[in-house]
Amino acid sequence: MISDFNDPELNGKYLGTISSDFVKISDVLKEAAYQVKSRGFSDFPIFPISKEKQPIGQLFLGKEEKNLEWNYYITYIDEFVQRKLIAEDALEDFKKAYKDPDEFCCLFVMDGAFTSFVYIPYPEE
């Protein structure tokens, strides 16, 4: 379930539009992830993204308002466990695979039946 751009469908169909959005909003996402951590909500911020409205997380950046391809939501690992998107027995594996949120943005890509975790490195400052 966790992907580092190895999924051929992710590379072919999604990576271009995700990357073009990410360049525009990476600073905002990085700051939001920092706030989630620093305020003690979670050490595992996750940004679900979809082209349509969806129920996971709170809408953070709407595609129409920011001229983006995707809607960006914000949540953290607890909601994924509560919704049984990450099984309790897989939680430790997820935490081990989760990349440093100061360096990587954790996106959860949702498009119809396709779902995948993706880690995109923030641009160097």
Side-chain angles (χ1 to χ4, degrees), residues 9-106:
E9 189 170 2
L10 186 63
N11 274 328
K13 192 171 178 182
Y14 302 109
L15 197 52
T17 61
I18 292 169
S19 296
S20 66
D21 273 4
F22 193 73
V23 169
K24 298 176 194 172
I25 60 169
S26 62
D27 290 347
V28 176
L29 296 176
K30 187 174 186 177
E31 177 62 24
Y34 172 78
Q35 292 297 329
V36 166
K37 283 184 58 186
S38 68
R39 293 180 181 191
F41 293 117
S42 178
D43 288 334
F44 303 93
I46 301 171
F47 296 93
I49 68 170
S50 66
K51 296 194 178 200
E52 306 300 325
K53 290 187 183 208
Q54 58 79 32
I56 302 170
Q58 297 292 316
L59 183 62
F60 183 61
L61 296 170
K63 65 182 184 177
E64 286 86 15
E65 68 188 72
K66 296 292 182 184
N67 195 25
L68 303 168
E69 295 277 334
W70 298 83
N71 291 306
Y72 288 76
Y73 295 78
I74 187 168
T75 190
Y76 34 90
I77 196 170
D78 298 2
E79 183 174 357
F80 277 75
V81 173
Q82 289 168 0
R83 290 180 176 274
K84 299 187 182 352
L85 297 169
I86 297 175
E88 293 273 346
D89 61 351
L91 188 55
E92 285 310 310
D93 289 339
F94 179 85
K95 287 180 177 181
K96 286 179 189 168
Y98 189 90
K99 296 190 179 203
D100 181 349
D102 294 331
E103 295 182 29
F104 291 87
C105 184
C106 178

